[in-house]
Amino acid sequence: ALAPLAGVARATGTVAASDRIRVGVIGCGGMGRMNLADFQRNADAEIVAVCDVYAPNRERAREMTGGKAEAYNDYRRVLERRDVDAVVVATPDHWHALMTVEACEAGKDVYVEKPVSWCVREGQLMVEAARRNKRVVQVGLQQRSGTHFQRAVKAVQEGRIGTVRFAQCWNHYSGGTEGVGFPADAKPPADLDWDMFLGPAPKAAYNPARRNFRAFKDYAGGELTNWAPHLIDVVHWAMEAKGPLSATGAGGILHVKDCRDVEDTVEVIYEYPGFLLRYSTMMHNSYGPNGHPGNKPFGSYGILLQGTLGTLFVDRAGYEIIPQMKQKAEPASQSFREAFDDLTGIGLYFTAESAGERSTTSVQHLPHVRNFLDCVKSRALPAADIEIGHRSTTPCHLGNIALRTGKKIQWDPEAERITNVPEANELLTRRYRAPWRLEGL
């Protein structure tokens, strides 16, 4: 039998009511219910409220609590409750900022899914609200709580792969061209509050395709804001980077034939102090730049950090350090130029510049929830504090801005401003649809 996982809470025994953290879950789709389940695995967490604009999601979440939680359609009812200590925000992206800021103002701690924001300015306001109200805000960048990610990052920071000059992140999938289709606008179903789904996003007629919110710019930024925050966050963490100096993007809707307006094939190059970072996503082919054929359930994805002494590959399944080889020559040897017939050289040998190493996976999500609960009690900064989440989401927004303006965007990571295309700074913010408003936007 496998040994029990150290440091992972088990929902056994009883916890005094005074020590219990009462949680409201806002957004009860797939990720919201995954969060709910892992919160419930901790004996000191009690789900007292669930909220979703779609009645079946709401009811499924309530059933997961044994019918004990109160169910709501409007998140403001959850924030009004004096007995709610913390909320989980797992809604579509365009809602994250407003709900997080209002939760902080209401005195709640927050576990918010990535990407933290729909635009850079929202992320800034989230950081300010957390600090102003002295709230613990954990972002769902759960890789930070996986011990194999921690070990991989430590290897880079200890210099075991040398000086890193190039990093790559990618999400490659192989799928059909049908996508979300071309459904007609329709009357919203009775069990969905469509106006509340839209919230601060522009008014739009109900269309079933729009429920796949990541395919539409009104609600999200495609894979660049879906998966890239997880991957770029690991690069930032390992390299102790605050943000890029520039972003250059190219891409388009090259594969899927549907009504989406978010690009399906994208390449972004970022310049950081001392290294380059490349991010790519595609939907027509799952082969990875690391040579992985993409037999994972969701294609090929991962992070490669390429240093002078070796290369580190890491994803949620584990990590591997591949040593850099250095060419050496025997006293009597010929280079491949003399040995042109076989192009391999004579008397040459290659030695590793670093030690190889690999790992299996580690538990990530449950310890991340545990870290949040511990910080709610201790008031310490969590593993993926809101400022970390904001810094890791910002390059994703900049990639989309570079892609959509067709310009190379120069970025000041301290001032958080675009310095070479002044009008592009307007894309760092957004307008909210009345009556929704976020102070400072």
Side-chain angles (χ1 to χ4, degrees), residues 219-231:
Y219 321 118
E223 289 306 293
L224 252 176
T225 56
N226 178 27
W227 257 102
H230 281 304
L231 308 182

Side-chain angles (χ1 to χ4, degrees), residues 270-328:
Y270 300 96
E271 293 174 288
Y272 281 77
F275 72 98
L276 298 182
L277 168 61
R278 168 186 182 240
Y279 175 78
S280 71
T281 185
M282 60 182 75
M283 293 177 68
H284 71 286
N285 182 291
S286 64
Y287 205 87
N290 65 325
H292 197 288
N295 59 9
K296 296 181 173 69
F298 38 80
S300 172
Y301 86 101
I303 301 138
L304 271 178
L305 291 155
Q306 297 179 264
T308 52
L309 303 180
T311 297
L312 179 127
F313 169 76
V314 62
D315 67 6
R316 290 187 182 173
Y319 73 84
E320 184 174 6
I321 294 174
I322 304 104
Q324 176 62 41
M325 295 295 175
K326 186 171 184 181
Q327 179 181 302
K328 294 181 180 175

Side-chain angles (χ1 to χ4, degrees), residues 22-195:
R22 290 152 305 187
V23 179
V25 178
I26 304 169
C28 301
M31 197 66 217
R33 292 195 299 273
M34 180 180 170
N35 285 320
L36 191 157
D38 273 357
F39 271 86
Q40 285 196 140
R41 287 190 174 98
N42 292 275
D44 54 349
E46 181 183 1
I47 308 296
V48 298
V50 294
C51 176
D52 201 283
V53 299
Y54 183 48
N57 282 352
R58 198 163 61 231
E59 191 48 38
R60 283 178 71 183
R62 196 180 72 83
E63 287 169 3
M64 288 173 69
T65 71
K68 293 176 185 171
E70 287 287 330
Y72 300 92
N73 173 70
D74 188 330
Y75 75 96
R76 292 170 293 189
R77 305 291 82 81
V78 178
L79 300 186
E80 285 168 359
R81 283 183 52 163
R82 301 281 295 275
D83 65 336
V84 170
D85 303 306
V87 295
V88 175
V89 176
T91 61
D93 304 354
H94 67 290
W95 266 114
H96 289 181
L98 185 59
M99 289 179 178
T100 298
V101 170
E102 289 189 354
C104 288
E105 300 288 358
K108 319 297 183 195
D109 296 318
V110 184
Y111 184 108
V112 60
E113 277 306 331
K114 57 79 231 164
V116 298
S117 57
W118 186 93
C119 64
V120 172
R121 181 62 182 144
E122 284 184 335
Q124 294 170 339
L125 293 170
M126 294 164 84
V127 175
E128 290 170 16
R131 301 295 184 255
R132 183 172 65 247
N133 294 286
K134 296 182 170 56
R135 293 294 97 200
V136 171
V137 180
Q138 172 89 298
V139 178
L141 296 168
Q142 64 267 24
Q143 294 173 165
R144 291 242 173 190
S145 293
T147 52
H148 82 274
F149 277 101
Q150 294 166 3
R151 195 178 293 277
V153 164
K154 186 165 181 272
V156 176
Q157 292 181 347
E158 286 177 347
R160 285 164 50 205
I161 62 167
T163 304
V164 175
R165 295 298 183 205
F166 192 75
Q168 300 186 69
C169 306
W170 66 95
N171 299 101
H172 295 172
Y173 309 90
S174 173
T177 58
E178 63 281 356
V180 298
F182 290 94
D185 291 348
K187 187 180 176 187
D191 56 7
L192 172 67
D193 186 338
W194 179 243
D195 192 64

Side-chain angles (χ1 to χ4, degrees), residues 243-379:
L245 303 175
S246 77
T248 312
I253 302 172
L254 305 182
H255 175 62
V256 182
K257 306 289 188 285
D258 65 5
C259 63
R260 76 182 55 225
D261 61 10
V262 168
E263 299 81 3
D264 61 31
T265 309
V266 172
E267 180 96 355
V268 184
I269 299 288
Y270 300 96
E271 293 174 288
Y272 281 77
F275 72 98
L276 298 182
L277 168 61
R278 168 186 182 240
Y279 175 78
S280 71
T281 185
M282 60 182 75
M283 293 177 68
H284 71 286
N285 182 291
S286 64
Y287 205 87
N290 65 325
H292 197 288
N295 59 9
K296 296 181 173 69
F298 38 80
S300 172
Y301 86 101
I303 301 138
L304 271 178
L305 291 155
Q306 297 179 264
T308 52
L309 303 180
T311 297
L312 179 127
F313 169 76
V314 62
D315 67 6
R316 290 187 182 173
Y319 73 84
E320 184 174 6
I321 294 174
I322 304 104
Q324 176 62 41
M325 295 295 175
K326 186 171 184 181
Q327 179 181 302
K328 294 181 180 175
E330 301 287 10
S333 61
Q334 291 178 306
S335 76
F336 72 86
R337 295 213 177 271
E338 285 83 19
F340 61 88
D341 52 340
D342 60 10
L343 300 181
T344 57
I346 297 170
L348 304 179
Y349 62 101
F350 300 82
T351 58
E353 293 284 276
S354 58
E357 189 176 308
R358 62 185 292 272
S359 84
T360 61
T361 190
S362 60
V363 184
Q364 295 145 60
H365 193 268
L366 188 54
H368 204 56
V369 169
R370 183 66 248 169
N371 171 255
F372 172 68
L373 294 169
D374 289 342
C375 291
V376 167
K377 293 180 177 181
S378 70
R379 311 313 294 166

